[in-house]
């Protein structure tokens, strides 16, 4: 049975806190851009950008990054990763790039994302923001900004639903494995 | 999400479902993003080997496959006839097995006889990709044409596409007819009656003898290369006569829809099947077809990489 572990209010609070942390850590958002990892991170990145703009009154650039071609499990997974679009309509050279993803788990997606990102240019800093950190890392990777830490078993599934039009429908559920 | 190609090979459009065609085109969109970057290489197929096995001269298609393969980080070997053992009497089967023994994961094959890729696909574990077999098929050309059409028209279903030229000897036409009709486009063919295959209407296309009638109201105008070096003798009076009757001119193009696009698989015979002003005009997407060909071939290699037969 799927069990709701975060409702829309709690998600909103978490994102607001992340926003403040990003602004505080970078002393504003000058030179900061957000890049969401396909698919779960894309809408979250847009949300964070909107929140930053409402607080700082300054525009932040937002892009999306597809990591299918950089994964290390292409040859062992049953299903082939779907190739989606990457849309980074700005230079990342010298910027502070905040990578955004919904769930941080093994860390392998983040490794792939960093490799993919560096093929677009050389950012000054790469930081990582995730809504959920569920543990079970397989690589030496940690997030700079975490919405919520959720202890899970390795076979559990964590699913994040972000609604593009109606944030009241947002939720995070845990499905016990 | 779970759509995958069913076969380990790409032998022709005829064997593909509309869902598979859509999957290849959608995947190519992702690869087109890669081709716009400064660093145009991705590590997806690192460690794989692609062999281009060309028994017929080809610069464009071979170069496109070679570059597509390199962009995916594979190693590429070009095996072309004059440099190979075929001239020493080696059979097709032995050539293929030799290439497999070198560790090829993909064999891209072009041959003047129809069915050669199909034959190779049965004896090789590697994925076989048809890069043109006789007058049969040239599937990646049709896929890149559909990809280009969709990029401009946002759809394929319901579009009127006219193909002008030597339909009878054209594998490009054949693959496009299969692909376009499967995706719901209305296909018109225009050619001298000597260059139209008998009963071609059974493929679900309309045949026009007048080029003006064929072009009228079309969304896409595709002209084929008149293969002057090959079979034209006996079918046509002369290239000049062909231009007068079937050449794509500015005047004729005006009969198509205002926003119609002009396509050609290349290489062009300017002044034979197409007027220079049209080839270089604002409606021409001919060079875009070349770029899209790279993205399509990357998509095909990527999608087939999961479909290797295990023995």
């Amino acid at each position: 049975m799927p069990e709701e572990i975060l409702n829309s209010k709690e998600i909103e609070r978490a994102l607001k806190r992340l926003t403040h942390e990003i602004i505080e850590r970078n002393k504003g958002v000058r030179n900061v851009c957000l890049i969401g990892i396909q698919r779960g991170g894309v809408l979250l990145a847009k949300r964070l950008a909107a929140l930053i703009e409402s607080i700082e009154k300054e525009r932040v650039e937002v892009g999306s990054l597809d990591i299918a071609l950089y994964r290390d499990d292409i040859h062992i997974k049953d299903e082939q990763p779907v190739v989606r679009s990457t849309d980074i309509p700005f230079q990342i050279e010298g910027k502070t790039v905040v990578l955004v993803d919904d769930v941080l788990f093994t860390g392998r997606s983040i490794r792939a994302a960093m490799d993919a990102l560096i093929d677009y240019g050389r950012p000054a800093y790469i930081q990582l923001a995730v809504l959920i950190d569920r543990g079970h890392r397989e690589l030496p990777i940690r997030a700079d900004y975490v919405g919520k830490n959720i202890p899970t078993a390795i076979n559990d599934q964590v699913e994040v639903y972000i609604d593009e039009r109606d944030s009241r429908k947002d939720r995070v559920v845990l499905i016990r494995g | 999400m779970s759509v995958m190609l069913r076969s380990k090979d790409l032998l022709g459009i005829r064997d593909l479902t509309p869902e598979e065609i859509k999957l290849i085109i959608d995947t190519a969109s992702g690869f087109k993003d890669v081709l716009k970057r400064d660093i145009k290489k991705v590590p997806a197929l690192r460690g794989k080997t692609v062999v281009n096995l060309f028994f017929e001269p080809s610069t464009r298609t071979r170069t496109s496959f070679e570059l597509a393969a390199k962009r995916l980080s594979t190693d590429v070997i070009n095996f072309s006839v004059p440099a190979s053992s075929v001239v020493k009497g080696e059979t097709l089967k032995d050539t293929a097995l030799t290439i497999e023994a070198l560790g090829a994961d993909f064999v891209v094959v072009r041959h003047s006889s129809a069915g050669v890729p199909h034959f190779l696909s049965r004896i090789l574990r590697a994925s076989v990709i048809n890069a043109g077999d006789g007058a049969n098929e040239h599937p990646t050309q049709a896929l890149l044409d559909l990809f280009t059409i969709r990029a401009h028209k946002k759809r394929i279903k319901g579009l009127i596409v006219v193909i002008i030229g030597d339909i009878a000897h054209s594998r490009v036409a054949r693959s496009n007819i299969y692909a376009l009709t499967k995706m719901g486009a209305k296909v018109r063919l225009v050619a001298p009656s000597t260059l139209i295959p008998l009963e071609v209407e059974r493929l679900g296309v309309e045949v026009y003898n007048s080029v003006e009638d064929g072009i009228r109201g079309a969304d896409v105008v595709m002209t084929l290369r008149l293969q002057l070096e090959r079979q034209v003798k006996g079918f046509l009076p002369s290239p000049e006569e062909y231009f007068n009757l079937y050449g794509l001119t500015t005047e004729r193009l005006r009969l198509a829809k205002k926003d119609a696009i002009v396509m050609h698989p290349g290489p062009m015979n300017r002044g034979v099947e197409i007027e220079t002003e049209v080839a270089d005009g604002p409606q021409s997407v001919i060079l875009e077809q070349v770029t899209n060909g790279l993205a399509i071939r990357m998509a095909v290699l990527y999608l087939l990489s999961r479909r290797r037969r295990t023995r």
Side-chain angles (χ1 to χ4, degrees):
Chain A
M1 272 301 283
E3 158 197 349
E4 185 172 286
I5 48 178
L6 245 65
N7 62 30
S8 67
K9 266 271 159 256
E10 290 163 321
I11 292 172
E12 199 188 329
R13 263 181 236 129
L15 291 179
K16 277 186 179 154
R17 183 172 49 74
L18 287 186
T19 306
H20 284 288
E21 286 176 11
I22 292 169
I23 297 168
E24 197 177 342
R25 165 92 167 265
N26 296 297
K27 302 182 176 65
V29 288
R30 185 148 308 176
N31 222 29
V32 171
C33 61
L34 302 177
I35 293 181
I37 299 173
Q38 289 273 20
R39 314 181 79 185
V42 177
L43 285 177
L44 280 172
K46 286 185 186 159
R47 281 283 171 82
L48 287 172
L51 286 168
I52 290 174
E53 284 169 29
S54 71
I55 294 166
E56 286 293 287
K57 312 291 177 221
E58 204 172 327
R59 264 189 62 81
V60 277
E61 289 166 312
V62 193
S64 61
L65 181 68
D66 183 62
I67 59 165
L69 302 169
Y70 289 83
R71 296 178 72 116
D72 60 7
D73 56 1
I74 285 185
H75 306 293
I76 53 169
K77 273 185 95 159
D78 286 341
E79 273 193 15
Q80 192 171 31
V82 177
V83 179
R84 300 178 195 284
S85 65
T86 289
D87 184 22
I88 305 178
F90 47 85
Q91 290 293 321
I92 60 166
E93 196 79 26
K95 296 258 176 69
T96 296
V97 175
V98 181
L99 278 175
V100 182
D101 207 356
D102 52 358
V103 180
L104 178 57
F105 182 28
T106 62
R108 288 180 190 267
S109 299
I110 306 304
R111 195 282 308 160
M114 288 193 285
D115 278 355
L117 194 63
I118 283 163
D119 277 355
Y120 283 85
R122 184 179 184 276
Y125 302 94
I126 301 178
Q127 300 171 352
L128 176 62
V130 298
L131 181 61
I132 306 290
D133 183 347
R134 59 167 292 192
H136 303 286
R137 217 75 77 240
E138 293 170 4
L139 298 175
I141 279 170
R142 60 160 186 80
D144 298 272
Y145 315 103
V146 179
K148 190 150 177 79
N149 286 293
I150 307 276
T152 59
I154 192 135
N155 293 323
D156 292 349
Q157 271 177 276
V158 176
E159 304 212 339
V160 175
Y161 299 96
I162 298 294
D163 195 292
E164 189 157 18
R165 286 184 205 91
D166 186 358
S167 62
R168 287 169 304 179
K169 291 185 185 156
D170 295 349
R171 62 203 180 102
V172 179
V173 298
L174 177 69
I175 302 157
R176 296 268 175 215
Chain B
M1 278 291 271
S2 61
V3 187
M4 282 177 83
L5 298 182
R6 293 164 305 153
S7 168
K8 77 173 173 70
D9 310 296
L10 177 66
L11 302 176
I13 302 291
R14 201 179 156 161
D15 319 311
L16 297 180
T17 64
E19 292 72 32
E20 288 176 308
I21 293 173
K22 187 173 177 298
L23 171 68
I24 297 171
I25 296 176
D26 287 347
T27 305
S29 305
F31 283 110
K32 206 164 174 192
D33 296 335
V34 173
L35 295 173
K36 289 182 198 145
R37 319 188 317 200
D38 283 346
I39 297 177
K40 296 178 179 64
K41 203 181 183 89
V42 289
L45 299 188
R46 220 167 23 161
K48 304 280 179 198
T49 303
V50 177
V51 174
N52 281 326
L53 180 57
F54 279 63
F55 296 93
E56 238 187 23
S58 157
T59 312
R60 297 164 159 257
T61 305
R62 189 188 53 71
T63 311
S64 179
F65 268 109
E66 182 173 347
L67 196 53
K70 286 180 171 167
R71 298 283 194 234
L72 290 165
S73 302
T74 67
D75 294 311
V76 188
I77 299 165
N78 289 310
F79 204 92
S80 51
V81 179
S84 80
S85 300
V86 177
V87 287
K88 298 176 192 160
E90 191 178 56
T91 67
L92 182 59
K93 184 174 177 179
D94 286 332
T95 305
L97 291 174
T98 303
I99 283 167
E100 187 150 82
L102 291 172
D105 298 288
F106 300 90
V107 177
V108 178
V109 61
R110 168 168 287 190
H111 200 285
S112 57
S113 298
V116 166
H118 307 70
F119 168 74
L120 294 179
S121 75
R122 287 190 294 271
I123 57 174
L124 295 180
R125 278 184 57 211
S127 287
V128 175
I129 300 172
N130 183 357
D133 62 328
N136 180 38
E137 283 224 44
H138 189 354
T140 55
Q141 177 70 44
L143 291 165
L144 77 89
D145 288 340
L146 263 69
F147 181 42
T148 307
I149 294 171
R150 201 182 68 173
H152 282 268
K153 301 291 169 194
K154 309 295 169 219
R155 66 189 169 113
I156 291 166
K157 198 172 178 180
L159 293 178
I160 298 173
V161 181
V162 56
I163 306 176
I164 307 166
D166 178 359
I167 311 290
H169 300 101
S170 173
R171 51 195 175 210
V172 174
R174 191 181 292 254
S175 287
N176 260 304
I177 291 169
Y178 288 132
L180 289 162
T181 52
K182 276 177 200 237
M183 301 311 278
K186 297 191 187 93
V187 180
R188 298 174 179 173
L189 305 179
V190 179
S193 52
T194 49
L195 296 177
I196 286 268
L198 288 172
E199 299 196 45
V200 72
E201 290 92 342
R202 284 166 65 168
L203 296 175
V205 298
E206 289 177 58
V207 175
Y208 289 72
N209 287 316
S210 140
V211 69
E212 283 80 11
D213 291 346
I215 291 179
R216 195 161 286 127
D219 297 283
V220 178
V221 183
M222 196 183 284
T223 52
L224 299 175
R225 172 182 152 71
L226 199 62
Q227 307 197 22
L228 296 166
E229 71 281 9
R230 273 193 210 166
Q231 54 281 85
V232 173
K233 285 188 203 89
F235 294 103
L236 283 175
S238 71
E240 295 74 24
E241 178 100 7
Y242 181 85
F243 181 73
N244 288 336
L245 289 169
Y246 298 97
L248 184 59
T249 59
T250 312
E251 208 172 302
R252 284 176 176 148
L253 183 58
R254 267 192 216 113
L255 299 168
K257 290 215 178 99
K258 269 206 178 64
D259 61 349
I261 54 170
V262 172
M263 307 178 79
H264 191 296
M268 284 183 278
N269 298 303
R270 288 170 185 261
V272 179
E273 67 263 0
I274 188 164
E275 197 181 69
T276 282
E277 289 72 21
V278 175
D280 303 334
Q283 286 167 276
S284 166
V285 296
I286 295 169
L287 289 175
E288 223 181 295
Q289 287 174 270
V290 178
T291 314
N292 288 342
L294 266 181
I296 280 288
R297 291 175 179 121
M298 287 172 83
V300 167
L301 288 167
Y302 174 72
L303 291 169
L304 289 177
S305 67
R306 291 288 306 180
R307 304 269 66 196
R308 193 112 332 97
R309 190 193 294 165
T310 41
R311 224 184 236 166

